[in-house]
């Protein structure tokens, strides 16, 4: 039951949750040196087994994998490395606007090498949406010699390209600011952007950042809250604009605070609309690239209607494993983290990448071939 009166203690239902509830450690990985230094925020869990390199969707952050990570590491012996891609989360790079597939694929390889050396342990690249495209480009570009598996979540070239023309309208349709992180979490749930409250409580912390207004000037408070936006190729969700907790204009907020000389709102970490020139490059050609990648592959979808022609033919030819998950939104790994973890664990065990943890019986999912 959702509490609509935000003046009551029930608003704590939407309070944020720390990354430390789901990941074991958080690190800043330095790539390059001196003036060429970039710093990537990563979250890790596990000490043994293959490494799952988790790549989030456009506008999200590594925190979108939090609940999934806890579920995954309870099922099989593995290590998890979730990365804030450039321009997202708490990663700080020299050219954060360069979201080309070439640059981001190189980033992934550089982070892995910085952490594990030139020949890393066995790697399984796992990506959602934009991150799925980057995983495909990274795997097929032979940037990392240790990639043994590829998992792509709810991104298919055909449907992705179809949606791109409406992305600017989608991005403009979202609230620009929120009064608090709690309000951002509630909006994500009530708008359908994320359909799992536990996921939203940790994930939205990585999607918005606090902005402080000093009189008529705006200062960005780096605050300890990370922050990107919601995802590219999001489904068309019901709009939810309750001005009790959302404001599209900073002026609306100014009249409601007690101290006009110091005011704050939460706004999106990254303006994805400015990355439009890269959208086509993320997704064009990825179906054939995915099919040509010579490692075991798993495609997880929110609906069978996502398949395009090339993947339909490839699926019938048995070139990859595929599973359609129970009803959920586009943020599949956030909406149904246990189901995604179960599917991935079964894939890893079947391919002999990892062993099930004692006491955990990973079921054999009915993969479609």
């Amino acid at each position: 039951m959702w509490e609509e009166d935000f003046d009551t203690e029930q608003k704590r239902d939407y309070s944020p949750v720390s990354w430390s509830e789901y990941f074991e450690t958080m690190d800043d990985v330095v790539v390059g040196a001196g003036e060429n230094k970039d710093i990537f925020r990563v979250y890790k869990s596990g000490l043994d087994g293959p490494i799952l390199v988790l790549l989030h969707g456009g506008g999200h952050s590594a925190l979108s994998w939090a609940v999934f990570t806890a579920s995954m590491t309870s099922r099989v012996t593995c290590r998890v490395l979730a990365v804030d891609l450039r321009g997202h989360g708490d990663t700080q790079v020299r050219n954060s606007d360069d979201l080309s597939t070439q640059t981001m694929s190189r980033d992934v390889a550089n982070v892995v090498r910085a952490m594990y050396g030139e020949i890393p342990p066995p790697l399984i690249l796992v990506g959602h949406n934009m991150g799925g495209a980057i995983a495909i480009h990274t795997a097929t570009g032979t940037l990392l010699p240790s990639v043994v598996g590829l998992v792509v979540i709810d991104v298919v070239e055909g449907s992705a390209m179809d949606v791109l023309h409406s992305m600017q309208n989608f991005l403009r349709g979202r609230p620009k600011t929120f009064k608090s992180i709690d309000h951002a979490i509630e909006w994500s749930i009530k708008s359908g952007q994320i359909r799992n409250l536990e996921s939203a409580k940790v994930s939205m912390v990585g999607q918005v950042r606090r902005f402080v207004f000093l009189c008529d000037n705006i200062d960005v408070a780096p605050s300890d809250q990370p922050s990107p936006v919601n995802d590219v190729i999001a489904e068309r969700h019901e709009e939810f604009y309750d001005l009790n907790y959302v404001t599209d204009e900073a002026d609306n907020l100014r009249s409601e605070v007690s101290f006009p000389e110091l005011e704050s709102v939460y706004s999106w970490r990254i303006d994805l609309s400015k990355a439009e020139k890269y959208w086509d490059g993320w997704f064009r050609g990825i179906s054939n690239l995915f099919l040509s990648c010579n490692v075991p592959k798993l495609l997880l979808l929110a609906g069978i209607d996502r398949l395009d022609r090339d993947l339909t033919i490839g699926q019938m030819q048995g070139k990859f494993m595929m599973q359609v998950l129970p009803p959920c939104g586009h943020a599949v790994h956030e909406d149904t983290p246990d189901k995604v973890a179960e599917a991935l664990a079964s894939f890893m065990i079947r391919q002999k990448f990892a062993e099930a943890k004692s006491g955990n019986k990973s079921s054999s999912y009915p993969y479609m071939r």
Side-chain angles (χ1 to χ4, degrees):
M1 182 178 71
W2 306 117
E3 178 59 66
E4 297 296 333
D5 183 4
F6 288 98
D7 293 327
T8 72
E9 287 301 313
Q10 291 299 316
K11 68 182 180 181
R12 299 306 299 167
D13 289 345
Y14 304 102
S15 59
V17 174
S18 169
W19 63 268
S20 60
E21 296 291 320
Y22 301 96
F23 296 103
E24 294 173 5
T25 60
M26 175 183 71
D27 290 313
D28 286 327
V29 178
V30 177
V31 172
E35 295 181 355
N36 296 320
K37 181 172 68 174
D38 291 329
I39 303 173
F40 291 85
R41 174 63 56 86
V42 302
Y43 301 85
K44 299 185 294 182
S45 286
L47 298 174
D48 301 300
I51 301 169
L52 299 178
V53 181
L54 307 181
L55 308 177
H56 61 79
H60 285 256
S61 80
L63 296 180
S64 71
W65 299 101
V67 182
F68 162 84
T69 291
S71 185
M72 191 70 211
T73 53
S74 72
R75 284 173 161 76
V76 296
T77 300
C78 66
R79 287 172 278 184
V80 164
L81 173 65
V83 184
D84 278 351
L85 297 171
R86 68 170 46 225
H88 296 74
D90 277 350
T91 281
Q92 301 174 38
V93 298
R94 289 160 293 144
N95 187 4
S96 61
D97 293 333
D98 181 3
L99 300 183
S100 65
T101 55
Q102 295 87 350
T103 297
M104 288 198 289
S105 298
R106 188 167 58 247
D107 287 342
V108 173
N110 287 339
V111 168
V112 170
R113 286 199 193 95
M115 297 184 68
Y116 303 105
E118 287 299 315
I119 304 179
L123 305 169
I124 301 169
L125 300 181
V126 183
H128 170 246
N129 196 348
M130 177 194 76
I134 300 307
I136 292 171
H137 284 279
T138 304
T140 57
T142 64
L143 296 171
L144 289 167
S146 303
V147 173
V148 298
L150 176 61
V151 180
V152 175
I153 301 176
D154 212 40
V155 59
V156 169
E157 178 183 354
S159 55
M161 299 303 293
D162 288 343
V163 172
L164 287 185
H165 71 278
S166 62
M167 274 309 303
Q168 288 290 7
N169 286 337
F170 166 77
L171 294 173
R172 283 193 294 268
R174 301 177 310 168
K176 294 181 177 64
T177 58
F178 302 92
K179 294 180 185 179
S180 70
I181 184 65
D182 298 50
H183 295 145
I185 292 169
E186 171 152 10
W187 174 82
S188 73
I189 290 294
K190 290 197 170 183
S191 67
Q193 299 296 293
I194 302 174
R195 302 183 184 183
N196 180 330
L197 180 58
E198 183 182 11
S199 294
K201 281 170 168 262
V202 61
S203 177
M204 285 301 290
V205 174
Q207 297 188 42
V208 294
R209 164 166 287 178
R210 185 181 176 218
F211 285 74
V212 175
F213 293 78
L214 298 177
C215 296
D216 292 329
N217 298 318
I218 300 178
D219 285 349
V220 178
S223 97
D224 55 355
Q225 313 273 1
S227 41
V229 297
N230 250 336
D231 209 277
V232 175
I233 310 191
E235 295 178 290
R236 292 161 179 75
H237 297 295
E238 178 182 58
E239 292 183 348
F240 186 90
Y241 298 109
D242 183 346
L243 291 181
N244 285 328
Y245 68 94
V246 175
T247 170
D248 281 333
E249 301 293 340
D251 288 343
N252 290 346
L253 179 63
R254 289 174 177 273
S255 62
E256 298 174 15
V257 295
S258 302
F259 302 97
E261 70 276 9
L262 182 61
E263 304 163 10
S264 68
V265 295
Y266 284 77
S267 186
W268 303 109
R269 164 70 171 174
I270 179 175
D271 184 355
L272 271 185
S273 64
K274 294 180 179 179
E276 183 174 11
K277 63 182 178 181
Y278 298 114
W279 295 351
D280 186 271
W282 292 347
F283 304 113
R284 188 173 297 280
I286 60 170
S287 288
N288 284 325
L289 283 177
F290 176 76
L291 292 170
S292 68
C293 188
N294 193 27
V295 297
K297 299 177 287 291
L298 173 62
L299 177 63
L300 298 177
L301 298 175
I304 192 66
D305 60 317
R306 304 290 208 273
L307 277 186
D308 59 23
R309 181 178 180 274
D310 289 333
L311 288 183
T312 298
I313 295 172
Q315 187 262 328
M316 290 189 295
Q317 293 173 341
K319 292 185 176 180
F320 60 91
M321 294 181 180
M322 186 182 79
Q323 185 180 331
V324 179
L325 293 165
C328 58
H330 176 55
V332 181
H333 58 297
E334 295 200 56
D335 293 349
T336 58
D338 289 340
K339 296 294 185 184
V340 173
E342 184 68 18
L344 184 47
S346 296
F347 171 74
M348 292 172 67
I349 293 169
R350 170 178 280 191
Q351 298 297 332
K352 299 184 172 18
F353 294 149
E355 295 182 357
K357 286 194 171 179
S358 58
N360 186 277
K361 296 181 179 180
S362 187
S363 63
S364 179
Y365 261 79
Y367 293 110
M368 301 172 63
R369 301 194 65 92

